[in-house]
Amino acid sequence: MNATPAPQPVPSARIPGREPDRESAPGSVETHCPYCSLQCGMGLRPGGATGLEVTERPAFPVNRGALCGKGRTATELLSSGARLTEPLVRRSPGGPLEPAGWDEALERIATELTRVRAAYGPDAQGVFGGGGLTNEKAYLLGKFARLVLGTSQIDYNGRFCMSSAAAAGIRAFGLDRGLPLPMADIAGSGCVILVGGNPAETMPPALRYFTELRENGGRLIVVDPRRTRTAELADLHLAPRPGTDLALALGLLHLVVAEGRTDERYIAERTTGWAGARAAAMAHWPELVERITGVPVPQLREAVGHFCDAESAMVLTARGPEQQAKGTDTVGAWINLTLATGRAGRPRSGYGCLTGQGNGQGGREHGQKADQLPGYRLLTDPAARAHVAGVWGVDPDVLPGPGRSAYELLDALGRDVRSLLVLASNPVVSAPRAAHVEERLRALDFLAVCDVVLSETAALADVVLPVTQWAEESGTLTNLEGRVLLRRRAVDPPPGVRSDLWVLGALAARLGWEKGFPDDPEEVFEELRRASAGGPADYSGITYGRIAREDGVFWPCPASADGTGADGTGTDGTEVDGTGAGTRHPGTPRLFLDRFATPDGRARFAPVTHRPSAEEPDAEYPVLLTTGRVLAQYQSGAQTRRVAELNAAAPGPFVQLHPRLAERHGIAEGDPVAVTSRRGRAVAPARVTRDIRPDTVFMPFHWPGAGRANTLTNPALDPTSRMPEFKVSAVRVERAGAESAG
Ligand SMILES: Nc1nc2c(c(=O)[nH]1)N[C@H]1C(S)=C(S)[C@@H](COP(=O)(O)OP(=O)(O)OC[C@H]3O[C@@H](n4cnc5c(=O)[nH]c(N)nc54)[C@H](O)[C@@H]3O)O[C@H]1N2
Ligand SMILES: Nc1nc2c(c(=O)[nH]1)N[C@H]1C(S)=C(S)[C@@H](COP(=O)(O)OP(=O)(O)OC[C@H]3O[C@@H](n4cnc5c(=O)[nH]c(N)nc54)[C@H](O)[C@@H]3O)O[C@H]1N2
Ligand code: SF4
Ligand SMILES: [Mo]
């Protein structure tokens, strides 16, 4: 591949939005990090070794200037030698990927998709998106799938992320927005129970909210089978067996009831379904919960004491309890705890999920999810279909119905689904039972991937299209708080690459759709505003200009009913009140303070009971495997494994295990450990530490090859969210080379 020329700064006249803040470094374009859902504000200006340097943006409220190592080094991605700069095409089956012109590459995709559609029908064309895509891209991808391809078979990697929390949130509150309040409210709460989240490694700048919480006298309780850097900061660390969070939450609720600490007035006024939930909790007495979870009864009592004594209190979940085959019920049980104690919909209180990917929130709102239309509308709702079809200028009947969930879609490749278009995901590394998924990808008639680097998934493709990335394009993202942000373009892309939006438009044109697929992000956003209007995630009152002036706008934010534009301007573009404010909707930083988003305004308890994981340890596979992240790598590692500083900090996979387990198998620090599950075998060096339960091993999932954690993971799905059980597999561990037969 050719070396990429150093990025050239864009003249400021081409940068939409306001001038940089006074507090930001002079000459910097204000934008956001390419990685996680915190979407830290940062500045970019010419300079440094890569031609573009990252500067602080202290005025942006979420991270207040702080960045983790990934954000600090992000410009290396732009000029990395690993960058794709021209399309690649595999001209013969089994042949190599070879450089090609855009015409050849696009024509090949159009021809193959047309052939698949003619031979097998529209639903044989699959589409797989990602929560890293901007709102504009996610929206246009959904529109492309439903209109141009006419397929129902679209889903995205967010299914592997926060889908259980989303499902539980909708069930309880009638709405899914990760956090119902700004991150800053965490610092003012009286008690926070953080369940299965490790922000010290996954969102370092957010850690300050948890340390401020403690400085303000609040309590932090962390629930994690490992003593993580986050758990070290806690007043109380509960270390349950992986997969038992549901029992733990029910046990805490049992104690709340037994100790008479429910908020009966709140339950009567603001909730429904308490009797069923209460009965389920009463069946989980403390000693039983101690047996299931391994958390001692006195610790359960202490947690309940902290949670109920505090004037305000919240439960936050992350991937630990969510990535389970019972993730939806598990989150439901934690929500029950916040409802029974009168916390949800109260200041600095309630339930929230720490969403993960850069646009994990917006990516699940605008139509790349199998069952969804823009504005968080449902494909099965006739009114929603009529509204969106109206915006798209088509008959509602042409819109397909809901399709398969992410793993089910990957599992169907080469069978019902014969072609796949992938944007912004690397399932060869990140999907459960990855060896099987890889085999399914190879069984496709045709695979096309848009990416910035040759990911492990792109390497299997018939056509790879090189696309622009964060600092080379503008677009909106919705962070974990529900704050819609504008990531602004700061440099020109390398010659030869095109944006995802451009690619979708060019493919649409070749497939007969000349109109409706603009490549200007703001133009797409204007259409998204109309498509989302009146939906649960209403963006109609949000504009690029407003986002830039206000440090983001929280949805829902409907356009004003009085004809005033979203920007505080009249329909002719003139300002209404001279301040730019007009009578516009202010956005919604805090949800549910007056009512929940259910038809009767009340939150719904979930009558859930504990059940075992899809796979429990047995004689053959006696150990529990759980998986997750390390500080310096991001997701499948496709991006961060290509940044020298990050790779030096976290060069490869490992198996974290307790000295007692290590000793039993004659494993010493650094020894190669073979981990075997019913899906396969992985090998990585041992990291022996007392910071993990003796019955559990942990592997990060950032690497392909022999140490790929997802070779081992269980694709058992949650019945509601269709989330795979990434956090619980039964395995056997041995010193590699000394394995027993069988
Ligand atoms: N450095 C880094 N940061 C990231 C990412 C990354 O890849 N790297 N990815 C981003 C994305 S997309 C996401 S989704 C977030 C994820 O952010 P987190 O949820 O914080 O990350 P994880 O490491 O997956 O899981 C958190 C913790 O869950 C614990 N855990 C494992 N099994 C269980 C269980 O059964 N119960 C409980 N209670 N806990 C359990 C693990 O030990 C781990 O410490 O991070 C985002 N930020
Ligand atoms: N065992 C285990 N597996 C897991 C998890 C776990 O905890 N344990 N966590 C799961 C979770 S929470 C997640 S979110 C998934 C994530 O897993 P993946 O979906 O694999 O996520 P990424 O590695 O971020 O993949 C994004 C790809 O898109 C490319 N890319 C980045 N930006 C763009 C863009 O704008 N356009 C295009 N076309 N491409 C782009 C990147 O280079 C990269 O190749 O992994 C899941 N897998
Ligand atoms: S915490 Fe997330 S958004 Fe902030 S700098 Fe790190 S990776 Fe980027
Ligand atoms: Mo995620």
Side-chain angles (χ1 to χ4, degrees):
M1 236 135 285
N2 299 332
T4 311
Q8 297 302 308
V10 177
S12 52
R14 287 161 59 190
I15 301 159
R18 68 174 168 184
E19 288 303 302
D21 274 359
R22 255 176 296 129
E23 294 91 333
S24 293
S28 289
V29 174
E30 292 185 334
T31 191
H32 295 272
C33 175
Y35 300 114
C36 86
S37 61
L38 209 56
Q39 280 305 290
C40 292
M42 58 165 65
L44 291 175
R45 69 173 177 196
T50 62
L52 192 67
E53 70 179 347
V54 175
T55 59
E56 279 189 13
R57 194 181 150 188
F60 184 69
V62 182
N63 62 311
R64 300 182 230 158
L67 297 170
C68 79
K70 296 185 295 300
R72 251 192 313 101
T73 57
T75 56
E76 267 192 52
L77 283 174
L78 299 167
S79 53
S80 159
R83 188 74 192 276
L84 293 170
T85 53
E86 54 195 342
L88 303 173
V89 171
R90 200 183 304 280
R91 296 197 173 95
S92 57
L97 276 170
E98 296 172 283
W102 275 95
D103 250 354
E104 180 188 345
L106 292 170
E107 193 54 35
R108 174 80 182 278
I109 299 177
T111 307
E112 299 275 5
L113 295 185
T114 305
R115 196 198 327 269
V116 163
R117 183 174 183 160
Y120 304 100
D123 277 351
Q125 307 161 99
V127 177
F128 201 89
L133 295 173
T134 60
N135 290 315
E136 292 80 357
K137 294 178 183 190
Y139 170 82
L140 211 66
L141 187 63
K143 182 179 179 185
F144 177 86
R146 270 88 184 211
L147 291 191
V148 177
L149 304 182
T151 185
S152 66
Q153 299 299 302
I154 173 171
D155 208 50
Y156 80 121
N157 69 4
R159 191 71 79 161
F160 298 158
C161 190
M162 62 332 105
S163 59
S164 294
I170 289 171
R171 191 158 76 181
F173 308 126
L175 189 73
D176 154 43
R177 195 182 86 184
L179 290 175
L181 37 72
M183 287 294 280
D185 286 8
I186 291 171
S189 186
C191 177
V192 173
I193 307 184
L194 173 59
V195 191
N198 184 15
E201 301 210 48
T202 54
M203 296 173 191
L207 212 58
R208 73 164 68 187
Y209 295 116
F210 296 96
T211 50
E212 282 170 14
L213 161 83
R214 298 204 55 225
E215 285 159 16
N216 294 337
R219 304 281 190 170
L220 176 63
I221 303 172
V222 169
V223 181
D224 197 307
R226 302 185 302 142
R227 186 172 170 82
T228 59
R229 293 188 208 172
T230 310
E232 275 167 16
L233 296 173
D235 295 280
L236 178 64
H237 171 209
L238 311 181
R241 283 176 76 231
T244 63
D245 304 85
L246 178 45
L248 184 67
L250 288 164
L252 298 180
L253 184 53
H254 179 108
L255 283 170
V256 166
V257 176
E259 294 176 7
R261 309 203 64 169
T262 52
D263 185 337
E264 294 298 329
R265 182 157 171 208
Y266 174 98
I267 291 172
E269 286 174 1
R270 297 206 60 183
T271 72
T272 55
W274 172 229
R278 184 182 188 282
M282 293 326 281
H284 293 76
W285 59 94
E287 293 71 21
L288 172 66
V289 169
E290 174 176 323
R291 270 206 303 285
I292 297 172
T293 61
V295 178
V297 174
Q299 288 189 2
L300 299 175
R301 290 191 192 283
E302 192 183 342
V304 167
H306 290 328
F307 195 73
C308 294
D309 288 345
E311 207 179 304
S312 54
M314 58 175 90
V315 172
L316 302 175
T317 64
R319 299 308 82 76
E322 298 169 16
Q323 289 174 327
Q324 301 184 14
K326 54 177 178 290
T328 306
D329 283 354
T330 299
V331 175
W334 286 101
I335 292 175
N336 286 351
L337 183 66
T338 70
L339 294 177
T341 51
R343 305 301 193 177
R346 292 255 175 91
R348 299 174 302 282
S349 295
Y351 165 75
C353 148
L354 299 176
T355 292
Q357 297 183 85
N359 197 28
Q361 182 67 49
R364 71 203 201 223
E365 298 165 0
H366 298 296
Q368 62 176 330
K369 190 161 171 270
D371 57 355
Q372 203 175 69
L373 288 170
Y376 223 132
R377 292 183 153 93
L378 284 178
L379 255 174
T380 44
D381 171 6
R385 293 171 69 89
H387 173 80
V388 174
V391 174
W392 289 352
V394 298
D395 188 302
D397 289 343
V398 309
L399 300 178
R404 290 181 174 86
S405 76
Y407 179 76
E408 292 165 292
L409 177 58
L410 295 171
D411 189 39
L413 302 182
R415 299 184 178 113
D416 309 357
V417 180
R418 313 296 300 198
S419 69
L420 189 69
L421 172 64
V422 179
L423 267 74
S425 183
N426 186 12
V428 167
V429 178
S430 58
R433 196 186 171 197
H436 171 72
V437 167
E438 196 175 335
E439 180 196 302
R440 290 294 92 216
L441 285 162
R442 289 181 194 278
L444 281 166
D445 295 6
F446 181 72
L447 174 63
V449 175
C450 296
D451 208 308
V452 295
V453 292
L454 194 67
S455 71
E456 287 70 21
T457 305
L460 300 180
D462 299 291
V463 177
V464 181
L465 300 178
V467 291
T468 51
Q469 50 173 320
W470 62 294
E472 299 160 353
E473 54 184 24
S474 293
T476 62
L477 297 97
T478 307
N479 82 347
L480 75 177
E481 308 167 291
R483 189 196 297 257
V484 184
L485 303 164
L486 180 59
R487 221 195 240 164
R488 278 186 282 179
R489 175 173 166 162
V491 288
D492 282 334
V497 311
R498 304 278 188 275
S499 71
D500 290 299
L501 295 179
W502 183 92
V503 167
L504 292 174
L507 282 175
R510 277 170 205 262
L511 293 165
W513 288 76
E514 292 293 340
K515 286 213 190 84
F517 294 87
D519 71 342
D520 172 44
E522 193 165 2
E523 202 178 323
V524 177
F525 189 77
E526 289 300 311
E527 187 181 307
L528 181 159
R529 288 176 55 198
R530 282 187 286 125
S532 76
D538 191 329
Y539 281 39
S540 59
I542 306 175
T543 62
Y544 274 29
R546 232 189 117 168
I547 297 172
R549 280 197 302 277
E550 298 176 25
D551 281 332
V553 181
F554 290 81
W555 72 257
C557 182
S560 302
D562 63 357
T564 308
D567 232 356
T569 53
T571 41
D572 60 354
T574 56
E575 288 210 356
V576 171
D577 68 353
T579 64
T583 54
R584 67 184 178 195
H585 191 285
T588 315
R590 294 175 183 84
L591 292 168
F592 312 141
L593 292 177
D594 302 322
R595 66 191 307 277
F596 296 98
T598 51
D600 62 4
R602 290 159 179 261
R604 297 178 283 233
F605 277 99
V608 292
T609 47
H610 182 70
R611 55 184 187 271
S613 297
E615 211 173 49
E616 288 286 337
D618 57 17
E620 205 181 343
Y621 300 101
V623 175
L624 288 163
L625 166 73
T626 194
T627 60
R629 294 158 166 83
V630 298
L631 175 62
Q633 297 288 354
Y634 189 69
Q635 313 276 61
S636 74
Q639 293 159 290
T640 46
R641 280 185 273 120
R642 285 155 173 113
V643 176
E645 180 185 322
L646 301 177
N647 231 17
F654 58 85
V655 180
Q656 184 184 22
L657 77 174
H658 192 275
R660 251 188 283 158
L661 181 62
E663 197 187 328
R664 200 178 318 142
H665 295 283
I667 295 167
E669 175 74 16
D671 279 354
V673 182
V675 183
T676 311
S677 78
R678 288 181 178 82
R679 273 71 54 195
R681 172 179 182 270
V683 181
R687 222 175 256 189
V688 182
T689 164
R690 291 183 186 283
D691 293 339
I692 186 167
R693 293 175 55 93
D695 57 4
T696 302
V697 297
F698 169 86
M699 290 181 77
F701 78 100
H702 310 293
W703 292 272
R708 179 174 65 183
N710 275 321
T711 302
L712 305 166
T713 48
N714 189 355
L717 300 181
D718 180 284
T720 309
S721 65
R722 319 306 282 167
M723 163 71 83
E725 192 136 80
F726 285 118
K727 290 294 193 259
V728 197
S729 308
V731 298
R732 181 167 77 225
V733 297
E734 287 138 306
R735 196 178 179 288
E739 290 135 276
S740 54

